[in-house]
Amino acid sequence: MTSPSLCHLTAFMGHKAGMSHILREVDRVGSRSHKKEVVEAVTIIETPPMIAVGVVGYIETPRGLRSFKTVFAQHISDECKRRFYKNWYRCKKKAHMRTAQKWSDEDGKKSIETDFDKISKYCSAVRVLCTPSPSSSSCRRRRPALWRSRSTVDHPLIRSPSPGLSSRSPLLSEISSLRMR
């Protein structure tokens, strides 16, 4: 178990790239194959680099978590934008253009700052929207998966008893360091 001061993501995306076999020596006392070499099957998992695309803040309701605010990154690759369209070749490819304009405009930066402040004040869970980089993997996918990754701060065993994220600042400090770049 990690300490509460260290903040990191708890999930990583991987694709099954194939299978192979290994030759290893068994170290099981009492077994017939103790101290003998055995051939075993292994699975090869390719893990392309992960890219953070945005941040989602959740509030607790009687029915469970509900998304409160979502803040997307300034630059989203075309590979990731494919996920938001059914047919990439026919579309006008205008997804997240306003997000990029929001990051470049002074009023937009203020609204992003207020969104981050609202997330830190009201949200009880924060997840990071992540996607793998399909161009750096040998997987033939063009449309990458997009998922929400929990952080160790959101983990129920590490969670502090006080509401809000003001006492759980490691994740927000990581996010604030990302948004200032």
Side-chain angles (χ1 to χ4, degrees):
M1 177 81 22
T2 60
S3 66
S5 62
L6 298 176
C7 176
H8 62 275
L9 300 178
T10 58
F12 204 86
M13 186 74 157
H15 303 285
K16 181 176 177 179
M19 291 194 73
S20 183
H21 60 277
I22 60 167
L23 182 69
R24 72 177 188 99
E25 188 175 308
V26 177
D27 189 22
R28 229 179 286 146
V29 180
S31 174
R32 267 198 263 163
S33 56
H34 181 63
K35 297 284 186 184
K36 293 183 181 175
E37 291 183 341
V38 178
V39 176
E40 289 186 347
V42 293
T43 302
I44 300 168
I45 298 174
E46 184 179 5
T47 54
M50 201 166 62
I51 300 166
V53 176
V55 178
V56 182
Y58 293 92
I59 57 173
E60 289 186 24
T61 64
R63 296 182 194 165
L65 292 176
R66 180 179 70 85
S67 65
F68 178 66
K69 285 283 180 189
T70 304
V71 179
F72 281 96
Q74 181 177 5
H75 302 289
I76 298 175
S77 66
D78 284 342
E79 295 170 342
C80 181
K81 286 181 186 178
R82 281 179 178 266
R83 174 54 57 190
F84 303 110
Y85 291 105
K86 184 175 180 181
N87 191 337
W88 177 251
Y89 297 104
R90 273 199 220 156
C91 71
K92 295 181 181 178
K93 299 173 182 66
K94 294 206 177 232
H96 296 284
M97 288 186 71
R98 290 188 184 150
T99 306
Q101 291 171 355
K102 196 185 239 189
W103 276 93
S104 63
D105 188 20
E106 287 300 320
D107 294 333
K109 285 183 183 179
K110 287 179 185 176
S111 69
I112 290 171
E113 288 294 324
T114 57
D115 288 347
F116 275 117
D117 293 338
K118 285 180 182 179
I119 287 174
S120 65
K121 186 175 182 182
Y122 298 115
C123 293
S124 58
V126 175
R127 308 280 163 86
V128 180
L129 289 170
C130 299
T131 183
S133 176
S135 62
S136 60
S137 70
S138 64
C139 185
R140 293 187 182 135
R141 274 188 197 176
R142 289 190 174 180
R143 181 185 287 187
L146 185 70
W147 80 96
R148 294 174 296 270
S149 181
R150 288 174 62 170
S151 68
T152 53
V153 177
D154 281 346
H155 199 275
L157 298 176
I158 301 175
R159 181 178 281 179
S160 62
S162 61
L165 280 174
S166 58
S167 61
R168 295 180 277 159
S169 59
L171 181 63
L172 286 180
S173 63
E174 291 288 329
I175 293 169
S176 64
S177 67
L178 289 175
R179 67 179 158 166
M180 294 302 171
R181 291 181 191 167

